[in-house]
Amino acid sequence: MPDPRTLISTAATATTGQRLAIDDHNRAYAGMTYVYPVVSRRAGGVSIGINLNPNNACNWRCVYCQVPNLQRGGPPPINLPQLERELSQMLDDITQGAFMSRFVAPEQRILQDIAFSGNGEPTSSPEFAQAVRIAAEQIRRRDLFPQVKLRLITNGSLVDRLRVQEGLHFLHEAQGEVWFKCDAGDTRDAYRINGSRQKPDVLLRRLCLCAQTCATWIQSCFFLYDGHPPSHKHIDHWLNLIDRALDANAPLQGVYLYGLARPSFQPESARLGRLSSPWLEALAQRVRQRGLTVIVSP
Ligand code: SF4
């Protein structure tokens, strides 16, 4: 998944920007396949991203996706020992090495999370559950709980698979959380935005299952399309989905509403634009009226 943590960044320098330009800033990370550092001024610290889709393949095709050369499909087999080595090296460099002093402004020298959020859908990897277990163990071994959170950023389309459920259980045991994508509550909008034919009833069932398994936030991206904001119908369907999740007693943590902070890498890019902060805030208010916590990142 393109990383919503990077979407909420606003600058592109090493200390305030998004995923570090590893070729330019640190060749040690350029050799890594699965692990990358993210420095985010808006998020106020450092994140470690785990990319289980190094081939830029996803089972969806969102119009705003920031993965270059995105293709449909799943990832190649993950080399778990290599993933473990890379994560261990990155954690050592961030917690004991020179990473913070070289790349991060003093007030942001805090490691915030390790997030499964790469160039595709992380749960499509058959090794997803083992990868979660490895990451949880690395955090535990360094005694970084609870200040370093383990996160999964997902489109949620595979959470009802047994091996994904197993990974969610590991995530729950590690007091981790899920950011579950929900951009539309209607089949046509979902296809237009996410290239997904997932029906709202199926999305709802998966969302409820996920929230019952592990702490879950809804993450939703809104933007201008051909100069127009999302239609009233689009928003009504989306809110209706949230209402149905609440009616079903899904224990949601809240909703992240975010806009397009950076350009899409998809063919629709030129048709997309940023919504204003007041527009997103007005929508957030409608969600808060339902008793949910909402975080807005225009
Ligand atoms: S779910 Fe959408 S945004 Fe995330 S990686 Fe797949 S296509 Fe990109």
Side-chain angles (χ1 to χ4, degrees), residues 271-284:
R271 301 175 64 182
L272 311 183
R274 291 181 76 168
L275 285 160
S276 67
S277 294
W279 192 99
L280 284 169
E281 268 304 330
L283 181 58

Side-chain angles (χ1 to χ4, degrees), residues 14 42 51 59 66 77 170 196 212 219 230-231 269 288 290:
R42 289 282 291 277
N51 179 16
N59 61 341
Q66 294 161 10
F170 291 147
S196 157
Q212 283 152 7
Q219 46 146 340
S231 68
S269 180
R288 289 187 187 113
R290 288 157 162 85

